[in-house]
Amino acid sequence: MKGKIWILEDDASICGLVKVALEMNGLEMQAYNTIASFEQALEEDTPDVALLDIMLPDGSGLDVLKYVKSRCPSVAVIMLTAKGREEDKVTGLNMGADDYVTKPFSVLELTARVNARLRGREKRGEIAAKGVIIDIDRMSATLDGEPLVLNKKEYELLKYFVENAGKALPREKLLTEVWGYDQGETRTLDNHVARLRKLGVKIETVFGVGYRF
């Protein structure tokens, strides 16, 4: 099972321990030690699961929880914190956390909880990147939590971009994968990209090549 896991934690030893445990299970992890760096990264990409400490040097992880759930509601959030009183757990779960793990914790249990959240996402048939969530079963998409009104080809193009987020995609490759042809001069691709941009989707032009989401 593959998945992108982000952790917001200012204790480097905890980050290192979790990183080793997750990567041994084939999971990719990125670590952030401040709210500012975490939220800046969220502007460019989207994790599958976020592990959030509460007591951080520049604020509260509960505020980050609210931000993540408002911007990317499909991201599974697991609070990973020393605040283990019942009222703390109730507060976190009521604010939208999908799970709550208290320190000290077992890395094996944490890994199992992360994998459980990834399995739940696979069952829902969702893929996500950079604030865009594609619901494959419903053939629909949202951007920062807001639904996008798309025709069939716009949806297929956006889905392909999300599946290949960060890659420079040649025009010919996009035309082949989405429209089934790569020959001849056409403005079809450019028009569809322009439409997605008007909806707020961030697509870069890679001059001489094509586009990058």
Side-chain angles (χ1 to χ4, degrees):
M1 182 183 302
K2 296 182 179 180
K4 291 187 296 182
I5 316 303
W6 290 7
I7 184 171
L8 175 55
E9 168 63 65
D10 61 333
D11 188 323
S13 63
I14 291 178
C15 287
L17 182 65
V18 174
K19 182 178 178 67
V20 170
L22 293 180
E23 291 185 347
M24 286 180 63
N25 282 268
L27 302 175
E28 172 190 342
M29 195 196 92
Q30 297 182 48
Y32 303 90
N33 57 17
T34 64
I35 292 174
S37 62
F38 183 91
E39 292 186 347
Q40 182 178 1
L42 200 62
E43 294 297 318
E44 299 298 326
D45 202 356
T46 308
D48 297 302
V49 179
L51 308 175
L52 304 180
D53 191 9
I54 292 180
M55 296 178 287
L56 294 157
D58 55 343
S60 170
L62 292 175
D63 292 330
V64 182
L65 168 63
K66 290 172 60 178
Y67 180 77
V68 170
K69 286 299 184 178
S70 65
R71 187 179 185 276
C72 310
S74 76
V75 174
V77 175
I78 300 175
M79 306 309 295
L80 186 61
T81 174
K83 295 176 72 68
R85 296 179 305 172
E86 182 179 8
E87 53 264 42
D88 295 321
K89 296 178 181 180
V90 170
T91 297
L93 294 170
N94 284 341
M95 290 179 65
D98 298 278
D99 206 344
Y100 199 106
V101 176
T102 56
K103 302 173 184 175
F105 58 90
S106 160
V107 290
L108 294 178
E109 180 184 352
L110 179 62
T111 301
R113 289 174 182 266
V114 168
N115 280 325
R117 294 300 160 187
L118 291 172
R119 286 194 298 271
R121 183 163 194 159
E122 287 180 352
K123 288 178 182 178
R124 293 197 302 271
E126 291 179 351
I127 57 174
K130 303 183 186 300
V132 174
I133 301 170
I134 302 290
D135 187 325
I136 297 172
D137 295 334
R138 293 183 174 86
M139 292 187 64
S140 63
T142 61
L143 173 61
D144 296 338
E146 296 296 323
L148 295 174
V149 179
L150 306 170
N151 64 34
K152 186 174 185 293
K153 285 302 178 185
E154 289 165 354
Y155 165 80
E156 291 176 354
L157 177 60
L158 181 57
K159 177 175 176 288
Y160 192 74
F161 274 131
V162 171
E163 290 171 336
N164 295 275
K167 298 179 183 178
L169 300 171
R171 289 173 55 87
E172 294 78 10
K173 180 71 171 176
L174 289 165
L175 287 168
T176 299
E177 296 297 330
V178 179
W179 280 272
Y181 60 85
D182 63 357
Q183 301 297 320
E185 292 295 326
T186 176
R187 297 290 296 175
T188 298
L189 172 60
D190 302 318
N191 291 336
H192 280 71
V193 168
R195 163 69 175 157
L196 292 176
R197 284 172 169 168
K198 285 182 179 179
L199 294 174
V201 180
K202 296 178 181 179
I203 300 171
E204 300 175 354
T205 298
V206 182
F207 293 101
V209 179
Y211 295 103
R212 176 170 49 233
F213 171 62

